[in-house]
Amino acid sequence: MGEDSVARHRPHSCSPETSPPPPPRSPADDDDLLSEILLRLPPQPSSLLRASLRRLVAGPVFLRRFRAHHHRSPPLLGFFIDDYGDALFTPTFDPPNRITAERLSLRQGPGERLSFLGCRHALALLLNRPRLEALVWDPVTGRRRAVAFPPEFAINQGDFVRGGAVLCAAAAADDGHVHVHGNCPFKLALVFIDNGRTQISVCLYDSESGTWGDIASTTLVTQWTSSVGTSTMVGNVLCWLIHRPICILEFNLDKQIMSVIGGLAHVPDNSRPSSSFMFPMEDSKLGIGILSGQRIRLWERMANSEWLLRRTLELEKILSLKPQAEPWRPVVLGFAEESNAVFVLTAIGVFMIQLDSLQFRNLFESNFVTSFYPYTSFYTAGLQGLIST
C-alpha cells in the first residue's frame, strides 16, 4: 500500500526546476531580429514590398532606420527630362523595381512656366518664373513647397535667375550629420546674374526659419557669361560650372561667402557645357571631368589651387564601342553625386559609368536627349497604404 501511495503521488511532486523548457522562439516571432535582417535588404523599390512581414517594414520607425542604413547608397530610380516645362520621369530599373513614368512625373499647371534645375537628397528644384518662385518638390511623396524669390532677384520675370541648388539641411551643417532621405528641412540656393552681366550673386534660403540670408556677390571677369550648369556639392561647398569663359563658382554654405575659380588652363574657354562636369573627390576635394573626342580626363584641384590629372577614361575601350559609319562625338549628360557616376550619350545609347569601378550600364538606346537630371531616392511610397492593413 505504501509503495502504491508513493507511486500515485509521485507525479504531483515535480518541482519548477524539473519542468520542461519552453519551445525555442521562432525567428519569425522576433521583431527585433527581423528588423535587423530586413535593414540589410538591398535599397531597391521591390525589396520591402516583397518582405513577408509588411506591417513591420511599413512602419515609419523602420523606414527611417532603413534609409539611415543605406544613406550613402540610395538607388538611381531614373532621370528627369525638362519637356517645355513638364518634368517627365524615365525609369532606369527593370521589373519588378521599375517605377512607372507617370508616378514620378510633374506636369505644369495653368499660368506656370517651370524650368528644371537639378536634384539632390531626393528633392528636385524647379523655377516658376511667372510667379517669381522656386519650387522644391519631393517626387516620391509628391510634397511641393513654393519659395518666393528674394526681392532683389524678383525682376524681369525672374529671367536673371540662372541657376540654383537644393539640399537637405542636415547635409549642409558642418557637424558630421548626414542626410538620410525623408521629410527633412532643406536649404535652397539661387544664382543671379545682373542685367549688365557684370556681377553674379548667390542667396541661401532656410526652410526651418522661412527666411533668405544675405546676398553674396562678386564681379564677373567677362560680360559674356550666360550659362550656369547644374550644381555639385563638395563637402560644405556648392559649386557651379560657368561657361564662356569657363570658371567655377563656389559658395560656402557655412560662411555664406562665394568665390570664382578661374585659370582652368586644361579646359578650353569655348568648352561646351555638354563636354564637362564636376564631381566630389576624397577629402572634400573638387574634381572636374573634361570630355574631348572619345576620352574623359579627370582632374583634381589641389591645395595650392593647381590642377592634377588623375585619370583618363578611354570610352571606346571601356564601353566596347564599335566604329560608327559616321563620326559621332559623345556628350556628357550629367553626373549623379550619390552614385558617383557620369552619364554619357553615345551613338548607341546613354551609358552610366561608375567613376570608381568603371562599371557601366546601357540605360536605354537613344542618340537624342535634350536634358538629363539623374534622380536617386528610396522608393517606399507603396508601403504607406499597408500601415493600417
Side-chain angles (χ1 to χ4, degrees), residues 54-95:
R54 291 182 173 182
R55 184 181 300 276
L56 175 63
V57 301
V61 174
F62 176 83
L63 292 179
R64 283 195 295 270
R65 291 187 64 202
F66 186 79
R67 296 189 199 95
H69 183 77
H70 294 284
H71 73 91
R72 296 189 186 277
S73 56
L76 177 74
L77 299 182
F79 62 91
F80 288 99
I81 291 177
D82 189 341
D83 185 27
Y84 299 100
D86 291 334
L88 303 183
F89 178 75
T90 298
T92 53
F93 271 126
D94 296 324

